Amino acid sequence: MKITGTMINYYFVCHRKLWLHVHRLSFEEQHENVQLGKLLDQSSYTREKKQIMIDETVNIDFLQDWKIIHEVKKSKSMEESAEWQVRYYISYLRKKGIAVERGILDYPLLKKRKEILLNDEEEEKLKDILLDIEYISNQENAPATINKKWCKKCAFYEYCFS
Ligand code: SF4
């Protein structure tokens, strides 16, 4: 199956969110947090090569000299999920023969950035993550709700808790 960066991200946020996204119960397009994210993507870093879609699977915010992957986020609240999203992009592009050196998580609203590398151990962990994403996605029913503090900002909140 095609595994997108968004799926990697959601895997770390909530397995139910991942499943709902994969099964296209998508309220996300209308959700204001998603819209703010898209606006940020479109307005930041206008001089760079932006929004590169590869294999209709991996959508990179921008690539610097084909060596540094940038992923733009509006806040650090889900940093682990964003870090793995970037590691996945590094791995994906390296497998395509592109000599990516590193990734950068950009937080333009916070005026901060964080360097992301991918070592052998993380590459191995990524393989397990991809298998787990396939397993979750192929389940017949959605995983249980998690009821975490970030649920209230999730596009699926009403669907999960009303
Ligand atoms: S509202 Fe919470 S439980 Fe429901 S999909 Fe979102 S993060 Fe998961």
Side-chain angles (χ1 to χ4, degrees):
M1 76 185 284
K2 284 184 177 178
I3 296 184
T4 65
T6 301
M7 288 161 68
I8 299 278
N9 190 301
Y10 287 179
Y11 175 79
F12 284 92
V13 174
C14 167
H15 290 182
R16 180 179 173 86
K17 184 170 185 168
L18 165 66
W19 188 96
L20 291 171
H21 172 76
V22 169
H23 291 260
R24 309 244 182 266
L25 288 177
S26 188
F27 303 98
E28 296 158 301
E29 288 296 314
Q30 293 85 38
H31 195 268
E32 68 181 82
N33 273 333
V34 175
Q35 285 172 352
L36 176 57
K38 283 193 174 151
L39 207 63
L40 262 180
D41 288 349
Q42 285 157 17
S43 62
S44 311
Y45 311 103
T46 49
R47 290 190 306 274
E48 304 288 344
K49 191 167 175 51
K50 295 191 345 176
Q51 295 295 346
I52 300 161
M53 176 67 90
I54 297 168
D55 298 339
E56 292 181 26
T57 303
V58 158
N59 189 6
I60 290 167
D61 282 346
F62 69 89
L63 257 177
Q64 217 178 312
D65 305 324
W66 293 92
K67 289 195 170 117
I68 304 171
I69 290 168
H70 288 257
E71 174 68 18
V72 181
K73 297 290 183 199
K74 66 181 188 296
S75 84
K76 287 174 162 250
S77 60
M78 294 290 174
E79 194 160 53
E80 188 190 16
S81 55
E83 286 175 9
W84 280 102
Q85 189 177 351
V86 173
R87 287 190 191 107
Y88 178 55
Y89 292 158
I90 296 172
S91 167
Y92 196 97
L93 263 63
R94 282 181 183 167
K95 285 190 182 117
K96 294 246 143 217
I98 301 167
V100 174
E101 290 171 0
R102 61 199 162 101
I104 304 273
L105 271 174
D106 285 295
Y107 301 99
L109 296 181
L110 306 173
K111 300 200 185 327
K112 294 211 157 120
R113 49 178 41 192
K114 180 172 186 180
E115 184 177 78
I116 308 294
L117 302 172
L118 177 70
N119 61 32
D120 291 347
E121 202 179 313
E122 288 158 344
E123 185 78 75
E124 282 305 306
K125 184 170 174 187
L126 201 46
K127 284 183 196 159
D128 292 339
I129 291 166
L130 296 179
L131 284 174
D132 212 15
I133 286 175
E134 278 206 49
Y135 174 77
I136 292 163
S137 302
N138 288 329
Q139 294 300 296
E140 203 168 314
N141 298 310
T145 54
I146 56 171
N147 208 1
K148 297 278 184 188
K149 64 178 188 308
W150 56 83
C151 284
K152 287 203 168 124
K153 290 190 173 174
C154 174
F156 297 109
Y157 181 72
E158 300 258 317
Y159 180 79
C160 290
F161 293 105
S162 63

